[in-house]
């Protein structure tokens, strides 16, 4: 299987060669008697958020299969314990508690900020390391003081997504912003982040609309935003509501730009909005184009493994894939193989080897003081064009040829 290189060399090698570079020689031949290591995965694998939950799970599965193919960790295979949170906070809490009793050494998961926030205490109180590859709400990695926190993340938090998009708006002279945010934890946190990014430039939204999940008609709030003089609409919601904004804007014949966080790259928006979704722009860490060897190899490997030519939400798959390998790299810091929570937390905070990932090059992705692996320089603006996501600007496509490092 061809994939991007994990080791120090950037030549075209197979995933087997790459994983062997990450592993010590003792991991080359697993012992049949060695017990498996149980890795938790939690996310919305059914229901309205499955469009990005399933790619997240597939990203983890792909990485784990590759790791197991070359011996796992110190001769021990990794076994996934998968829990479906159905994008529901009480369900997420219950499934997190099940992971606690299932004996997992770490967990990768959560796509929905509200679900993550409902369950974080389970991981923190039980010293169970959690790497969040999708949920972007800023509070996820801010709930606990960083030096004490067992919660890590490989997705771009909304604070930097909002800052990135607002910076682009100001550059284009679009400073009369209307914010449309749902009433979930994700929408609440996103609204606060956009307000903060605007305030840093001595701006404030000219109109704010709030709505519950499930709303299908937002024409009246859009009319109010137009009346307030808005020249751009900034959305913060994860599902069909984004499409309702686009369709409502089209219905009232209001031709202003539509921007937002990464959910504007989801099928719910692109397919649900149809031609009304065309031209929308959003923050992205990964666009499913073979812009360099690592990304081309990842996309082709995913397509073969899961028999698909299109990933519904590519960022979810890529960020989860990288999260799995970052976890593996941290495990090789633990020389005695005892993966207790405190040891693994310390290892994640002090990863010794650079991991050449799909989304970014991870050199010390985490530290005692910083649990977010993604920084703003790793982001690009995506654009809905002909029903798919591409680079909004030629300079972003050119810059994306070179995988960015944390700043």
């Amino acid at each position: 299987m061809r994939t991007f290189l994990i080791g120090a060399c950037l030549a075209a090698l197979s995933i087997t060669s790459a994983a062997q570079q990450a592993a010590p020689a003792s991991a080359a031949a697993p012992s049949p008697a060695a017990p498996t290591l149980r890795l938790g995965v939690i996310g919305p694998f059914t229901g309205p958020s499955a469009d990005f939950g399933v790619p997240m799970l597939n990203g983890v599965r792909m990485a784990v299969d590759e790791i197991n193919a070359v011996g796992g960790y110190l001769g021990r295979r990794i076994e996934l314990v998968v829990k479906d949170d159905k994008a529901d906070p009480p369900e997420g809490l219950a499934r997190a508690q099940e992971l606690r009793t299932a004996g997992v050494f770490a967990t990768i998961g959560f796509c929905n900020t509200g679900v993550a926030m409902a369950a974080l205490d389970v991981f923190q109180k039980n010293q169970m390391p959690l790497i969040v590859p999708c949920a972007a709400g800023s509070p996820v990695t801010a709930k606990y003081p960083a030096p004490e926190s067992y919660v890590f993340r490989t997705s771009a938090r909304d604070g930097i997504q909002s800052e990135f998009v607002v910076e682009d708006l100001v550059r284009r002279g679009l400073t009369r912003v209307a914010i449309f945010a749902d009433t979930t934890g994700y929408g609440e946190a996103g609204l606060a982040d956009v307000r903060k990014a605007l305030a840093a430039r001595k701006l404030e939204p000219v109109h704010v609309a709030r709505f519950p999940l499930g709303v299908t008609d937002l024409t009246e709030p859009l009319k109010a935003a137009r009346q307030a003089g808005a020249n751009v609409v900034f959305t913060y919601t994860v599902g069909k509501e984004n499409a309702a904004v686009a369709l409502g804007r089209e219905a009232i014949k209001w031709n202003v730009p539509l921007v937002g966080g990464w959910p504007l790259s989801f099928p719910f928006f692109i397919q649900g909005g149809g031609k009304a979704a065309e031209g929308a722009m959003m923050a992205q860490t990964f666009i499913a184009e073979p812009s360099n060897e690592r990304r081309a190899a990842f996309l082709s490997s995913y397509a073969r493994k899961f028999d698909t030519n299109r990933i519904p939400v590519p960022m979810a798959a890529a960020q989860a894939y990288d999260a799995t390998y970052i976890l593996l790299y941290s495990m090789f810091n633990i020389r005695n193989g005892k993966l207790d929570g405190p040891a693994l937390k310390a290892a994640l905070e002090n990863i010794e080897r650079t991991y050449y990932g799909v989304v970014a090059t991870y050199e010390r992705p985490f530290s005692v003081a910083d649990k977010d692996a993604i920084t703003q320089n790793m982001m690009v603006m995506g654009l809905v064009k002909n029903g798919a996501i591409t680079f909004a600007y030629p300079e972003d496509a050119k810059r994306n040829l070179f995988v960015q490092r944390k700043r």
Side-chain angles (χ1 to χ4, degrees):
M1 179 182 295
R2 302 287 296 174
T3 190
F4 67 91
L5 185 60
I6 313 170
C9 178
L10 294 179
L13 297 175
S14 68
I15 185 61
T16 298
S17 298
Q20 284 172 334
Q21 291 184 42
S26 59
S31 168
T36 59
L37 289 168
R38 309 194 85 196
L39 172 63
V41 186
I42 185 169
F45 308 130
T46 60
S49 292
D51 270 351
F52 62 125
V54 172
M56 182 198 82
L57 175 59
N58 286 347
V60 177
R61 281 178 168 158
M62 193 162 81
V64 166
D65 285 351
E66 293 167 359
I67 292 164
N68 283 338
V70 293
Y73 168 73
L74 300 181
R76 300 175 68 180
R77 292 177 59 82
I78 297 173
E79 170 193 355
L80 295 183
V81 180
V82 179
K83 299 294 180 180
D84 183 2
D85 64 33
K86 302 178 183 178
D88 177 67
E91 192 81 18
L93 175 58
R95 301 293 82 77
Q97 291 168 336
E98 289 175 0
L99 287 172
R100 178 181 62 81
T101 59
V104 300
F105 71 93
T107 295
I108 296 173
F110 293 113
C111 288
N112 306 88
T113 295
V115 181
M117 295 302 293
L120 290 184
D121 281 351
V122 174
F123 298 92
Q124 184 69 18
K125 290 180 179 178
N126 292 282
Q127 298 183 328
M128 297 165 52
L130 169 70
I131 303 181
V132 180
C134 288
S138 296
V140 171
T141 46
K143 183 171 183 179
Y144 313 108
E148 302 167 15
S149 182
Y150 280 76
V151 181
F152 301 78
R153 177 161 50 189
T154 59
S155 61
R157 71 179 186 274
D158 282 325
I160 63 171
Q161 289 193 48
S162 299
E163 171 66 25
F164 185 71
V165 175
V166 167
E167 183 178 275
D168 180 71
L169 295 180
V170 171
R171 186 166 55 246
R172 293 193 283 154
L174 300 171
T175 58
R176 297 185 61 77
V177 181
I179 307 173
F180 278 62
D182 67 37
T183 52
T184 67
Y186 176 74
E188 190 69 32
L191 172 60
D193 285 329
V194 178
R195 285 186 181 275
K196 182 178 178 181
L198 289 170
R201 294 162 176 81
K202 295 181 170 53
L203 299 170
E204 59 182 41
V206 299
H207 183 77
V208 174
R210 305 301 304 278
F211 50 87
L213 293 183
V215 67
T216 58
D217 185 354
L218 289 166
T219 53
E220 291 306 315
L222 285 161
K223 288 177 181 177
R226 180 171 62 182
Q227 182 65 30
N231 62 4
V232 63
V233 175
F234 198 134
T235 70
Y236 252 102
T237 186
V238 296
K240 297 178 180 179
E241 300 76 22
N242 270 323
V245 173
L247 292 168
R249 183 191 55 161
E250 182 181 60
I252 66 173
K253 298 180 174 17
W254 188 29
N255 188 26
V256 295
L258 177 59
V259 302
W262 73 304
L264 287 183
S265 67
F266 290 13
F268 266 144
F269 174 67
I270 298 173
Q271 296 170 9
K275 65 177 183 178
E278 290 287 308
M281 295 172 62
M282 76 298 296
Q284 296 278 275
T285 62
F286 175 78
I287 289 177
E289 295 182 10
S291 54
N292 61 40
E293 184 182 359
R294 299 184 213 172
R295 296 184 179 118
F298 170 79
L299 291 169
S300 62
S301 295
Y302 189 103
R304 286 195 302 271
K305 185 173 184 66
F306 300 108
D307 192 24
T308 181
N309 292 321
R310 189 166 185 171
I311 308 173
V313 182
M315 278 177 60
Q319 290 169 176
Y321 183 86
D322 280 355
T324 309
Y325 271 106
I326 288 171
L327 177 62
L328 175 71
Y329 271 51
S330 74
M331 291 160 64
F332 286 121
N333 282 7
I334 303 175
R335 309 302 182 190
N336 61 8
K338 294 181 180 179
L339 301 176
D340 62 84
L344 192 51
K345 173 182 178 294
L348 282 162
E349 294 167 345
N350 296 279
I351 295 175
E352 296 174 356
R353 305 183 188 194
T354 299
Y355 165 54
Y356 297 94
V358 174
V359 171
T361 294
Y362 301 91
E363 186 176 19
R364 296 274 182 170
F366 307 119
S367 69
V368 172
D370 185 3
K371 298 302 190 288
D372 281 289
I374 302 297
T375 48
Q376 192 169 316
N377 65 295
M378 298 173 182
M379 307 196 72
V380 296
M381 287 297 292
L383 171 74
V384 180
K385 184 177 181 180
N386 299 324
I389 302 299
T390 188
F391 294 97
Y393 302 117
E395 57 267 31
D396 274 354
K398 184 177 180 180
R399 184 169 60 89
N400 206 240
L401 293 170
F402 306 96
V403 183
Q404 301 296 308
R405 293 174 183 251
K406 187 171 185 176
R407 292 180 186 170

